[in-house]
Amino acid sequence: MGEGRPRDRSARLFTARCSHIARPLPGQSQEVPIACGVLNDETAYARAPFGIWEEDGLLRLVLCNAAPIDVWAMKDILRAVHRFDPVGGAPVMVEQEELVRMTPEAKVFLARICHNDQRPVAFMAYDLPDRIQGEFFLRFHKPAFPFRVFAVQEDAQQWLARYSSGLRAVR
């Protein structure tokens, strides 16, 4: 998850480097150096845009700080949800940190792909921009799965409990 500290543009992207030389292409007179390396785990490039875990029978999904959620990230989120709950009955509580931006294509993709009416999603909106984003998704994309926006976790948990089927995958 994001730590909220600013990143310096000069921060090292790689932890280790090696150099290779590419043979010159026809028409070129010099060899071209190629740099490759191992990504530094502390760079913003190495962090996932979300975190997911199971807690008390529900899946908790947190969209990380300043994460751009595009179609590819949405596919990763859906795969992770399916890995945690292949049966499809576990409710999902979604929270987002600051400055999360979901692309319009990701919203359309989510609304078109997810048709599981047994997997409710509670979107936690702790401030006005989050509430507007959640209500906009609900009204204009009309998801086929149960979706509601909440400001208080206890209210969300009560609503999610109504959908609990008790079906869980054995791991």
Side-chain angles (χ1 to χ4, degrees):
M1 289 221 256
E3 298 164 13
R5 61 184 169 154
R7 294 276 176 203
D8 182 354
R9 283 185 166 251
S10 64
R12 290 177 11 146
L13 180 60
F14 298 106
T15 57
R17 290 187 180 273
C18 62
S19 294
H20 299 283
I21 303 294
R23 285 185 249 151
L25 296 172
Q28 289 183 336
S29 60
Q30 296 181 346
E31 295 178 332
V32 179
I34 300 173
C36 59
V38 177
L39 274 177
N40 183 352
D41 287 339
E42 300 214 357
T43 62
Y45 306 103
R47 279 187 272 136
F50 65 94
I52 186 168
W53 67 93
E54 189 173 2
E55 182 178 294
D56 298 329
L58 80 117
L59 296 178
R60 302 286 303 262
L61 173 65
V62 176
L63 305 177
C64 294
N65 191 19
I69 306 295
D70 57 6
V71 172
W72 290 104
M74 185 57 67
K75 287 178 182 179
D76 287 341
I77 290 169
L78 294 176
R79 283 186 202 109
V81 167
H82 183 72
R83 254 184 258 122
F84 273 93
D85 181 37
V87 175
V92 180
M93 183 180 294
V94 179
E95 297 177 79
Q96 63 181 22
E97 294 178 350
E98 296 295 316
L99 305 174
V100 174
R101 182 182 171 275
M102 188 177 296
T103 65
E105 295 83 11
K107 292 175 187 176
V108 169
F109 176 77
L110 178 63
R112 283 185 30 210
I113 294 298
C114 296
H115 297 286
N116 186 347
D117 62 352
Q118 299 302 309
R119 186 190 305 279
V121 176
F123 181 79
M124 299 307 303
Y126 298 115
D127 57 13
L128 185 59
D130 289 351
R131 177 164 288 287
I132 290 170
Q133 185 179 16
E135 294 292 344
F136 182 87
F137 176 75
L138 180 62
R139 289 196 180 138
F140 291 98
H141 293 285
K142 299 181 181 10
F145 54 90
F147 181 89
R148 281 199 48 197
V149 179
F150 293 93
V152 179
Q153 278 194 5
E154 289 78 23
D155 295 343
Q157 288 172 338
Q158 288 176 358
W159 180 75
L160 290 170
R162 292 191 293 169
Y163 288 92
S164 181
S165 65
L167 296 174
R168 299 289 178 259
V170 177
R171 292 182 210 188

